Amino acid sequence: MDYLTIIQILDSSLRLATPLLLTCLAGLFSERAGVVDIGLEGKLLAAAFLSGAAAAVTGSIWIGLLAGVAGSLAFSMLHGLASITFKGDQLISGVALNFLAAGLTVVIGQSWFQLGGRTPSLSGDGRFEAWNLPFADAMSKIPVIGPAYDELISGHTTLTYLALLAVPLSWWVLYRSRFGLRLRAVGENPSAVDTAGISVVKLRYAALVIAGVLCGLAGTYLASLAAGFVKDMSAGRGYIALAALIFAKWRPWYALWATLLFGLLEAIGNRYQSIALGDFVIPVQFMQALPYILTVIILAGFVGKAIPPRASGQSYVKER
Amino acid sequence: MNKMPKWADAVLIPLISILLAFFFSGLVIWAIGKDPVVAIKTMVQGAFGSTSGISYTLYYATNFIFTGLAVAVAYHARLFNIGGEGQAMLGGLGVTLVCLAVPWPHWTLALPAAMIGGALFGAAWAFIPAWLQAKRGSHIVITTIMFNYIGAALLGYLLTKVLKVPGSMLTESARFPEGAHLPNFSEILAPFGINFSPNAPANMAFFVALLCTFLFWILIWKTRLGYEIRAYGQSETAAKYAGINPSRIVIIAMLISGGLAGLMAINNVMGEAERLIDNAVEGAGFIGIAVALMGRNHPIGILLAALLFGFLYQGGAELSFWESIPRELVVVIQALVIMFTGALDNMVRMPLEKLFVALGKNKKKEA
């Protein structure tokens, strides 16, 4: 394997990690506030569909982005209605939202476009353009650093850079802002937050709004990357993001590394159908299953223990 | 303190929730420019209008009874088993290995053996998440989701590399021997002089599902183990205080749950396909969640809910054929049923409770 191949694999890792990272950060905000979000997958799918549809009709991915974020936000608010306002089971609500997205996107998509659940393919302004960072062409001639800069760092779309920026931003919001302190507190000990005179309900809804926006970005990225919406195109990425969240132990910087790792696994799986280690051949299915296997191992506590926010999964009931 | 009579809790609330789910499903049909009334007529005609339709309805219902019971057993121990899909997949593997192992002379011998194979493999796939939950505190919802994907990858590998018939292009196992063929409804009903569509899939497994429903009722409400499962589900601390070992209950409840999901394979793999195909479970494991929630984890409720979803599934197929409404409409209905009967339960419950409290007060005044 030569240097350029490694750069190319890392480049596609970053490409594949982008939606995972955005979705993982969405789950991070939601779960840090005490709302478990199994519905990430559904939000991703709903956003991919609406952004793909809107971009196909208007020809602008930016209008697509707005539609995708709006759809994802609507799903987020439905999750809030069920699990915060009506104190329903957060897991069940999330499962329902995933099915709702899987069904509605195809039913509505067929009715709108008659393409068997697809949206018309996107081109030109209907997709995000790759950014060529300054001097990328000029630097590509320089050995070692050149190709790395040209292939790996330059040439991604707006949302990839936005996702990378979202990591320090999330860290700052969570650990350095008053809002973040309260948000983390509401996920650990909501009654203490309530006693301090801060609304638990409002904080949790705020977390779901952030999660909705981030999932909306991730879904739009998927639609833009694949040049249109295809049935079930999220393909379990919401669950992988959830796995990455556990892997990252609910921390923003770790979320970046975890999603990059899962992106790398997917990139290697895409490039090599099977990997031979001497006489033993690793089947492609093993590479596909590896993120899930790693998550189970992490969850089992054999490699460091993953402890979720203490109040996550519980509805907050005021004492009377 | 009971705010509501028991019948309201057991019948009225689920009924209102389902009506709400159907109302919104109707809205979706209306919104895509179709007529909900025509859609319902098409579905009823497709599901009950012919013996073939009835057979398909019962065939799907059989799958959902197994997966519904699977979710319900775990739910009584307050464990949310989302892994029914993967457990049913592995059950299919177990059934396939049993059916292909020996040239079975007769189905009466093959069926019990296949049941053991399916249940064992399903239970084994549930065992690891169960053990991790009981001993390491790993959240069972996440691990069972992961195991669905791991199971799908494992089966994909086995179908392409191990079970595939050499030289064949299809990713499926060899056909089961003639002796492993389960009688379908046409063959069962022929001696009674009843004509039933000969090519439709409902088979002997339906009766096994009914038997399991009855055994489920015995287990949960009439045995010591069932009592322990329910006690643990109500309150872990109280159960511990009463000398119940929590790890034991978690593992046993999940083994039964996985076993029931695995048993589904005698219907779809042994009864219908008669070979192991890719994606044989077709989401039945997930529908089990809707069935259990709708049926309030009670055998009679699960039976009725499974029949309803069998009807929706078969009717939905007809709908896509005649009305060109995609089959995914059933997924939308399934989602709405889970949402309203599961997560939005309080939305229906709270106003009803107020109503019953108000009614109770009025009666006291009159007296």
Side-chain angles (χ1 to χ4, degrees):
Chain A
M1 205 190 307
D2 58 87
Y3 179 66
L4 201 64
T5 317
I6 294 174
I7 293 291
Q8 279 167 356
I9 290 177
L10 289 179
D11 175 60
S12 75
S13 307
L14 185 57
R15 223 174 284 276
L16 293 164
T18 301
L20 294 179
L21 178 58
L22 287 166
T23 315
C24 187
L25 289 174
L28 182 83
F29 275 99
S30 166
E31 300 213 349
R32 272 300 177 115
V35 183
V36 168
D37 209 347
I38 299 234
L40 292 174
E41 175 82 6
K43 279 184 248 190
L44 204 56
L45 196 61
F49 169 69
L50 280 175
S51 61
V57 172
T58 63
S60 159
I61 190 65
W62 292 103
I63 295 175
L65 184 73
L66 283 180
V69 168
S72 171
L73 264 180
F75 267 60
S76 236
M77 290 304 100
L78 202 55
H79 189 48
L81 185 73
S83 60
I84 303 173
T85 306
F86 287 112
K87 302 179 176 66
D89 191 315
Q90 300 172 0
L91 297 168
I92 292 174
S93 163
V95 168
L97 287 178
N98 287 344
F99 287 132
L100 196 61
L104 275 183
T105 49
V106 178
V107 172
I108 297 177
Q110 173 65 18
S111 156
W112 283 355
F113 302 108
Q114 277 96 35
L115 293 168
R118 299 173 64 98
T119 61
S121 42
L122 306 173
S123 56
D125 286 341
R127 299 177 69 183
F128 286 114
E129 258 175 64
W131 278 25
N132 275 319
L133 294 187
F135 315 118
D137 284 336
M139 275 182 68
S140 66
K141 308 279 185 302
I142 306 171
V144 186
I145 311 169
Y149 184 78
D150 184 36
E151 288 267 344
L152 183 57
I153 298 176
S154 169
H156 293 279
T157 60
T158 318
L159 284 185
T160 301
Y161 297 116
L162 208 62
L164 292 173
L165 263 179
V167 176
L169 196 65
S170 301
W171 174 83
W172 187 85
V173 168
L174 277 172
Y175 293 99
R176 288 293 179 271
S177 76
R178 184 195 298 208
F179 170 75
L181 179 67
R182 290 174 174 178
L183 192 92
R184 284 182 293 133
V186 93
E188 296 288 339
N189 191 345
S191 51
V193 176
D194 200 20
T195 315
I198 303 157
S199 166
V200 173
V201 170
K202 271 186 198 159
L203 267 171
R204 288 193 165 172
Y205 266 106
L208 283 183
V209 168
I210 299 173
V213 171
L214 287 168
C215 278
L217 298 180
T220 310
Y221 179 87
L222 285 182
S224 166
L225 190 70
F229 172 84
V230 195
K231 175 182 163 183
D232 280 332
M233 78 181 299
S234 52
R237 282 193 179 83
Y239 293 121
I240 296 204
L242 209 57
L245 182 60
I246 297 164
F247 217 76
K249 299 177 183 169
W250 295 267
R251 292 180 176 96
W253 282 106
Y254 289 79
L256 175 64
W257 309 130
T259 48
L260 280 176
L261 172 69
F262 288 173
L264 177 69
L265 290 177
E266 201 184 337
I268 295 174
N270 286 349
R271 193 171 175 107
Y272 303 101
Q273 283 305 301
S274 49
I275 300 162
L277 288 179
D279 286 337
F280 185 72
V281 177
I282 301 174
V284 60
Q285 286 90 356
F286 180 77
M287 294 301 294
Q288 288 165 355
L290 200 54
Y292 306 110
I293 297 173
L294 284 177
T295 306
V296 172
I297 294 171
I298 287 286
L299 268 172
F302 294 126
V303 194
K305 200 151 178 64
I307 301 162
R310 199 142 51 102
S312 70
Q314 297 161 8
S315 324
Y316 178 63
V317 184
K318 263 185 203 253
E319 285 174 66
R320 279 171 245 272
Chain B
M1 190 186 86
N2 261 332
K3 289 179 184 160
M4 271 194 296
K6 221 176 168 186
W7 63 268
D9 187 44
V11 181
L12 192 60
I13 291 181
L15 207 64
I16 295 175
S17 301
I18 293 162
L19 285 178
L20 276 171
F22 283 165
F23 171 73
F24 280 98
S25 309
L27 270 188
V28 171
I29 298 175
W30 175 77
I32 60 172
K34 307 276 176 177
D35 185 347
V37 179
V38 174
I40 291 173
K41 275 186 187 157
T42 313
M43 288 176 85
V44 171
Q45 177 63 28
F48 301 114
S50 62
T51 56
S52 159
I54 293 172
S55 181
Y56 269 101
T57 303
L58 290 179
Y59 163 73
Y60 289 126
T62 308
N63 285 342
F64 305 152
I65 292 172
F66 282 121
T67 54
L69 292 175
V71 174
V73 169
Y75 213 86
H76 276 291
R78 199 155 289 181
L79 295 164
F80 192 14
N81 177 13
I82 309 197
E85 189 79 5
Q87 289 144 18
M89 266 182 234
L90 267 285
L93 179 64
V95 165
T96 304
L97 293 179
V98 167
C99 286
L100 291 176
V102 204
W104 293 97
H106 196 256
W107 67 268
T108 44
L109 295 172
L111 182 60
M115 282 169 67
I116 293 171
L120 218 57
F121 272 64
W125 207 241
F127 174 74
I128 308 168
W131 185 84
L132 288 173
Q133 169 80 60
K135 301 290 182 189
R136 315 284 309 186
S138 329
H139 204 300
I140 199 135
V141 171
I142 309 288
T143 45
T144 47
I145 290 175
M146 301 297 135
F147 266 75
N148 284 339
Y149 284 101
I150 301 172
L154 176 67
L155 239 66
Y157 171 72
L158 290 175
L159 276 176
T160 48
K161 292 281 153 61
V162 182
L163 290 169
K164 202 176 105 164
V165 183
S168 164
M169 288 300 287
L170 302 166
T171 47
E172 54 184 45
S173 77
R175 233 188 134 72
F176 296 166
E178 279 296 307
H181 168 77
L182 292 181
N184 61 25
F185 270 38
S186 149
E187 288 153 7
I188 297 167
L189 292 173
F192 303 101
I194 303 170
N195 271 328
F196 212 78
S197 169
N199 296 321
N203 60 72
M204 219 58 203
F206 177 67
F207 299 102
V208 179
L210 291 184
L211 182 70
C212 284
T213 313
F214 178 67
L215 291 178
F216 174 93
W217 178 74
I218 303 256
L219 169 77
I220 295 294
W221 279 282
K222 299 288 161 198
T223 66
R224 187 195 168 102
L225 177 65
Y227 181 78
E228 288 178 344
I229 289 177
R230 281 183 297 137
Y232 174 81
Q234 289 290 324
S235 162
E236 189 180 339
T237 37
K240 264 188 201 159
Y241 199 68
I244 295 169
N245 177 354
S247 310
R248 187 177 146 257
I249 294 300
V250 166
I251 291 179
I252 291 181
M254 279 302 288
L255 284 179
I256 298 173
S257 177
L260 281 166
L263 264 184
M264 186 196 116
I266 60 165
N267 188 46
N268 68 335
V269 175
M270 190 181 186
E272 205 253 342
E274 303 196 356
R275 62 194 190 280
L276 189 62
I277 55 173
D278 206 19
N279 189 25
V281 184
E282 288 183 300
F286 294 123
I287 292 178
I289 299 167
V291 167
L293 279 173
M294 201 171 141
R296 298 267 138 155
N297 302 305
H298 190 281
I300 295 175
I302 290 171
L303 196 62
L304 292 175
L307 284 170
L308 178 76
F309 269 97
F311 152 69
L312 287 176
Y313 233 66
Q314 168 56 15
E318 296 287 314
L319 212 52
S320 64
F321 193 71
W322 296 107
E323 293 291 311
S324 68
I325 300 175
R327 238 191 136 158
E328 277 76 6
L329 180 71
V330 182
V331 180
V332 176
I333 301 176
Q334 173 192 344
L336 290 168
V337 167
I338 295 177
M339 200 67 184
F340 281 106
T341 59
L344 286 172
D345 186 63
N346 276 332
M347 192 177 81
V348 180
R349 186 177 295 270
M350 288 196 293
L352 267 182
E353 272 179 357
K354 277 185 191 150
L355 184 73
F356 275 104
V357 168
L359 284 175
K361 273 184 190 158
N362 278 345
K363 267 185 196 163
K364 268 181 199 161
K365 271 182 198 164
E366 281 166 20

